Amino acid sequence: MNLVPTRIELARPLPPLTYLAPEGLPAGVRVRVKLRNGAAVGLVLGLDPSPPEVKLRPIESIVDPFPLLPPKLWELLAFAADYYAVGVAHLLPLCLPQVLVPDWEIEADQGLRLSAMRDQGRWRELAELGQAWHRGEETLRGLLHRRDRRGAGLTEVRRTELPNPMKVTTTQAKALLALEEAGGALLESELRDSFGVGAAVLKTLESKGLIQRTRRLDLLSQRREEGLDHRVILNEEQLAAIAAVDTSRFGVHLLYGVTGSGKTEVYLEVAERVLKQGKRVLWLVPEIGLTPRLLARLEARFPGRVAVGHAGLNATEKQADVVRLLQDEAPIFVGVRNAVLAPLRNIGLIVVDEEQEGSYKSEEHPRIHARDLAIKRAQIENCPVLLGSATPSQESWHAAQQGRYKLLKLTQRPVGINLPEVQVVDLRDAYREARKRVVFSKPLLAGISESLERGEQAMLLLNRRGFENFWMCRACGKPLDCPHCAVSLTYHKSSYRLRCHLCGFEAVPPEVCPHCAAAHLRGVGEGTEQIEDQLQALFPKARILRLDRDTTSRKGSLEAGLLAAEHGQVDILVGTQMLAKGHNFPKLTLVGILNADQGLRIPDFRAAERTFQLLTQVAGRAGRAQRPGRVILQTYSPDHPAIAFAIRQDFEGFAEQELKYREALAYPPFTALALYRSEGETLDEAKRVLDAHKARLAVVPGLRLLGPLEAPVSKVRDRYRMHLLVKARQRSGISSALATAPLEPGGPVALDRDPLQFGN
Ligand code: ADP
Ligand code: ZN
């Protein structure tokens, strides 16, 4: 066999390396190579036209018999690697979570790993099968049948009967609630890993006839809620939106309509049309844990045809779903951010629900934006993409205004829910009257009492967890800061600890000030933990549930809490913005926003946009109940546009004003941004590398270079952080910056293209 110099990229921060490999090895096949410090899996990029003049080592073995990723996905990966200036191999783990990385090794031991040098006959056979698969003439069943057998070992738990609540223990109830939330069925491993329900509990439940356990590969086929597949009679706006989507070619559509206006019905209709054409649907959601209802609706409409990229699944289960994708068995794939790179072929529609959500952007390497890649993917696949939102991002809205995206509007709420009445409480007046800072205004307290009396629910939001925001010394005026980060510590009463929300540092609160030794330490600014305490004192009989990152750190506890609230077991919900999203509390009639201005003080040009989105979303919660809802919004700045427009639920008015501001200050969508970040032992060290990079960027025409400046949080985990912000008129300006001044893979400067977070 002829061995030729071949470029191979490793999933490590290194430039591609050159090895000797069999001639004709296709790009995209994974191979195993030896490094100085161990072995690694790498990806064949192709022939090396100018190999280094050293003795090249041969590869160790070939991992895949043929490239596993569909060619069009390769095209997307090449684009993304270029756009975000990362190696393709860094994106691969996002495409095939468990199959691709060393996990395949398990199969290798069973004889599936092939060395072309050792076992040529079988290699050729598989390579031919692979080609046939790529031509769409063959499924992967033959190749992957071993996995099927392993997948069949999955045990699914299904609820059979409604329990008598008095006859079950708390753990048993937890299991049953989890099942109900999931639409009736879950995997045994999910119950164990996410809800802490062990085999013993399930056995007891089974003996009581409350559940049934079956083994299956088809993970979701049982997640059907009876009666969910009620076909609605679409209204004219919905029909017009559906008709406007040409499923035969690329086009970006912005589906804009308030929560409950019927956007999901539009996605479902277009999806059905695409499935009938024999094509597939890629459906992105911001958070999978909060979409059980969507999954149930999808499963009811397209039974057995939905696969889910679920962060909560374990390796084997994920693998089973990926295998279903590779086998083209599940034509609808639902997932979060990384699902945009799923190995789905023949895509006829991409849905991006809640397109404005920040969770579509990765805040760690590689820093991709799933919505933006979804548009690129649709272009490559030549299919439509539907971006849906009640409060579109300024970027998408602007594109729709310019006619680059097709705007589809839904202005009614088919089920006839009215928008809630919003009452504004000016905290400045409340302060003057009470002669002190007011946490709960009189109208809010009255509202809570009323809702308790009527047996309804109230929800209070404050975007700050912990008991007190920070401690300071009244003698010397200094706050107690984290020793490792440039932020104050937050006091948590239940654990009696001061805690750093960035690095997790914890300390018992000191008796005296560490700076001046005075015994005048005092907490400032209340957090959700204290709100809960104060409420309980004000309303001793109320059942209060707090949901924030502290109370929901255990997997499944958020879902369990939300479920308890949906079932009316909670009178007052207190929490951070995680409460604002996608739930349906039928008894919720009052929402209190304790301090609407909180998010506005953050030094970020998107602060107003985020505040507007949050307030609008929250207000939408109160309107879902049978009875008309009410929102009480406490603020020190009722005239701020983000607040004033949110009160009127006027997105278009807000966007008009916001876009003017963005244009005047040359921010996106009127410019393109790239944020270069560096870290160092000292600020100086971090600054030096950015200064050097800035000098290289100085030759690129049309860029504005701002910085280097200390990051807003300039130290995290004892590492100092600096930022260099680059503005260009268009995205192509940033691309030429990357071409002229490329970044060293694994070097000291990291790139965040189209950044969303500037905080740390
Ligand atoms: P969105 O995705 O905009 O929040 P949904 O599609 O989930 O809205 O619709 C909200 C509710 O209204 C759902 O229960 C849905 O079944 C129902 N619905 C949607 N369109 C119609 C319609 N044309 N007629 C009756 N009910 C509808
Ligand atoms: Zn810290």
Side-chain angles (χ1 to χ4, degrees):
M1 172 165 304
N2 202 10
L3 295 179
V4 294
T6 304
R7 271 155 62 82
I8 290 168
E9 187 172 74
L10 303 174
R12 307 251 174 118
L14 290 173
L17 300 174
T18 303
Y19 284 83
L20 290 175
E23 193 172 7
L25 204 55
V29 154
R30 285 173 307 155
V31 293
R32 187 167 294 280
V33 299
K34 265 215 183 101
L35 289 173
R36 212 166 291 142
N37 50 355
V41 172
L43 188 76
V44 170
L45 295 180
L47 208 65
D48 190 345
S50 47
E53 309 221 332
V54 292
K55 189 164 179 293
L56 295 176
R57 287 207 226 177
I59 60 167
E60 288 293 298
S61 62
I62 298 168
V63 178
D64 305 321
F66 53 84
L68 275 181
L69 299 183
K72 284 188 175 159
L73 180 52
W74 272 112
E75 212 176 307
L76 180 70
L77 289 177
F79 168 84
D82 208 42
Y83 188 85
Y84 295 105
V86 297
V88 178
H90 297 218
L91 297 167
L92 279 179
L94 313 184
C95 306
L96 289 174
Q98 294 301 324
V99 180
L100 233 144
V101 208
D103 197 63
W104 185 275
E105 217 39 31
I106 306 164
E107 295 293 345
D109 298 339
Q110 296 169 13
L112 207 86
R113 180 173 66 173
L114 300 165
S115 158
M117 286 157 281
R118 272 182 248 145
D119 184 0
Q120 289 204 32
R122 180 122 165 85
W123 163 257
R124 243 195 317 272
E125 182 188 313
L126 282 164
E128 274 160 22
L129 176 62
Q131 281 156 11
W133 174 65
H134 276 293
R135 288 195 302 267
E137 293 161 8
E138 185 62 79
T139 72
L140 284 190
R141 224 173 233 305
L143 173 65
L144 296 165
H145 70 281
R146 290 162 196 279
R147 278 148 194 265
D148 271 6
R149 235 183 285 138
R150 191 159 56 164
L154 303 170
T155 301
E156 191 182 67
V157 180
R158 188 165 168 66
R159 200 199 59 207
T160 48
E161 244 178 69
L162 271 179
N164 177 340
M166 309 315 290
K167 296 241 170 73
V168 292
T169 67
T170 323
T171 342
Q172 290 167 359
K174 199 159 71 175
L176 294 169
L177 283 176
L179 287 174
E180 188 169 322
E181 174 80 338
L186 274 174
L187 291 170
E188 193 167 320
S189 56
E190 265 178 308
L191 278 166
R192 184 190 59 224
D193 299 343
S194 305
F195 299 94
V197 177
V201 177
L202 296 179
K203 227 175 181 168
T204 316
L205 285 173
E206 197 168 33
S207 69
K208 291 182 176 181
L210 293 174
I211 61 163
Q212 203 178 358
R213 288 193 285 181
T214 42
R215 296 164 84 79
R216 56 174 52 257
L217 172 65
D218 192 2
L219 300 184
L220 274 161
S221 67
Q222 299 288 315
R223 284 192 186 178
R224 236 162 283 161
E225 243 173 55
E226 302 308 326
L228 258 178
D229 191 23
H230 59 280
R231 295 294 174 114
V232 298
I233 298 167
L234 296 164
N235 63 33
E236 273 179 30
E237 285 180 334
Q238 286 170 315
L239 290 171
I242 293 159
V245 182
D246 180 350
T247 49
S248 71
R249 61 192 169 91
F250 171 64
V252 188
H253 307 78
L254 180 61
L255 182 58
Y256 158 61
V258 293
T259 311
S261 61
K263 296 186 292 296
T264 308
E265 292 297 334
V266 172
Y267 307 145
L268 289 169
E269 278 297 317
V270 181
E272 187 164 337
R273 199 194 317 158
V274 163
L275 293 185
K276 278 193 189 128
Q277 292 165 358
K279 293 191 219 150
R280 304 193 161 78
V281 178
L282 178 59
W283 190 307
L284 303 182
V285 293
E287 259 170 282
I288 207 101
L290 298 178
T291 49
R293 213 156 247 112
L294 169 70
L295 292 183
R297 246 163 113 180
L298 269 168
E299 189 58 33
R301 183 91 165 234
F302 309 110
R305 310 184 72 194
V306 186
V308 186
H310 193 312
L313 297 182
N314 69 30
T316 318
E317 293 151 4
K318 259 191 200 150
Q319 211 160 294
D321 256 1
V322 170
V323 168
R324 291 179 68 203
L325 281 190
L326 291 173
Q327 293 181 340
D328 304 330
E329 282 177 4
I332 303 175
F333 187 69
V334 184
V336 292
R337 185 171 62 227
N338 293 343
V340 74
L341 300 178
L344 201 63
R345 298 192 300 171
N346 193 13
I347 297 176
L349 171 69
I350 304 180
V351 172
V352 185
D353 196 18
E354 304 284 355
E355 65 88 25
Q356 83 288 354
E357 280 289 336
S359 59
Y360 283 125
K361 170 81 166 45
S362 167
E363 291 301 336
E364 46 191 70
H365 177 88
R367 292 175 179 264
I368 61 166
H369 198 308
R371 179 201 55 214
D372 297 352
L373 286 182
I375 294 172
K376 185 70 197 176
R377 192 163 189 183
Q379 193 185 16
I380 292 171
E381 302 274 353
N382 195 27
C383 75
V385 55
L386 288 179
L387 311 177
S389 179
T391 52
S393 64
Q394 295 302 305
E395 285 82 355
S396 300
W397 184 252
H398 181 57
Q401 295 299 309
Q402 287 188 322
R404 281 185 290 130
Y405 297 176
K406 203 185 263 186
L407 183 62
L408 312 174
K409 272 198 210 183
L410 301 182
T411 59
Q412 302 152 11
R413 276 183 157 180
V415 257
I417 313 167
N418 295 317
L419 286 175
E421 168 209 339
V422 181
Q423 181 181 354
V424 180
V425 175
D426 190 333
L427 286 174
R428 293 169 304 185
D429 296 343
Y431 176 86
R432 272 193 291 272
E433 194 184 312
R435 297 175 170 275
K436 61 172 188 195
R437 212 166 47 88
V438 172
V439 180
F440 307 104
S441 62
K442 280 182 187 161
L444 181 58
L445 288 175
I448 298 172
S449 302
E450 272 170 42
S451 101
L452 290 177
E453 274 160 31
R454 289 203 227 115
E456 298 168 357
Q457 279 177 326
M459 178 195 279
L460 299 186
L461 276 115
L462 179 71
N463 231 352
R464 182 194 289 152
R465 63 204 170 95
F467 192 79
E468 276 146 1
N469 191 25
F470 60 93
W471 276 24
M472 64 173 279
C473 171
R474 276 202 281 188
C476 74
K478 289 193 180 132
L480 291 184
D481 285 338
C482 172
H484 307 291
C485 307
V487 294
S488 328
L489 297 166
T490 304
Y491 176 53
H492 290 255
K493 188 179 169 206
S494 64
S495 55
Y496 192 59
R497 288 286 185 283
L498 288 165
R499 197 181 294 160
C500 172
H501 284 177
L502 285 180
C503 75
F505 169 85
E506 282 195 342
V508 173
E511 299 287 326
V512 297
C513 171
H515 306 291
C516 74
H520 295 299
L521 289 173
R522 172 198 143 92
V524 183
E526 49 289 306
T528 44
E529 193 183 11
Q530 185 175 158
I531 297 297
E532 181 188 8
D533 261 27
Q534 292 192 11
L535 274 176
Q536 199 70 73
L538 289 165
F539 304 101
K541 288 203 199 117
R543 295 166 299 172
I544 299 175
L545 177 69
R546 171 164 61 98
L547 289 176
D548 56 29
R549 236 192 300 155
D550 297 314
T551 62
T552 59
S553 53
R554 274 219 20 249
K555 250 181 161 185
S557 47
L558 172 62
E559 288 81 353
L562 294 174
L563 192 67
E566 283 190 22
H567 283 238
Q569 293 160 359
V570 176
D571 302 317
I572 308 177
L573 275 157
V574 179
T576 51
Q577 65 179 9
M578 66 165 65
L579 272 182
K581 295 191 184 130
H583 331 298
N584 185 11
F585 305 117
K587 288 171 75 186
L588 181 73
T589 51
L590 175 71
V591 173
I593 297 160
L594 294 182
N595 185 348
D597 333 58
Q598 221 176 13
L600 290 174
R601 292 188 220 109
I602 297 164
D604 183 329
F605 71 91
R606 289 195 179 89
E609 180 179 17
R610 294 212 181 94
T611 299
F612 178 85
Q613 288 169 351
L614 177 69
L615 296 180
T616 316
Q617 247 171 23
V618 171
R621 290 296 115 219
R624 306 215 99 188
Q626 303 301 318
R627 282 154 282 201
R630 212 174 136 202
V631 175
I632 296 178
L633 190 147
Q634 306 188 144
T635 172
Y636 286 98
S637 38
D639 302 325
H640 189 289
I643 291 172
F645 284 112
I647 291 167
R648 299 201 293 274
Q649 299 256 324
D650 179 4
F651 170 78
E652 296 186 37
F654 171 73
E656 194 183 327
Q657 180 143 346
E658 179 68 12
L659 284 173
K660 276 187 201 141
Y661 152 82
R662 299 277 182 94
E663 185 164 25
L665 297 182
Y667 278 123
F670 298 95
T671 48
L673 299 184
L675 185 64
Y676 289 90
R677 301 161 179 265
S678 70
E679 275 186 21
E681 298 284 311
T682 62
L683 266 181
D684 222 45
E685 185 193 321
K687 183 169 182 294
R688 239 173 311 154
V689 290
L690 281 186
D691 279 334
H693 198 71
K694 186 180 182 180
R696 299 171 63 204
L697 289 171
V699 302
V700 185
L703 297 185
R704 277 189 64 198
L705 309 174
L706 306 160
L709 288 172
E710 278 180 45
V713 178
S714 59
K715 186 176 76 168
V716 178
R717 290 185 191 87
D718 293 316
R719 304 274 296 165
Y720 289 85
R721 300 176 169 206
M722 295 286 289
H723 284 175
L724 172 66
L725 184 66
V726 177
K727 274 188 182 180
R729 287 195 62 113
Q730 264 138 14
R731 285 177 169 190
S732 57
I734 304 292
S735 296
S736 42
L738 296 179
T740 312
L743 289 170
E744 190 188 322
V749 178
L751 171 73
D752 184 356
R753 192 159 182 185
D754 306 322
L756 279 189
Q757 298 289 346
F758 299 87
N760 50 56

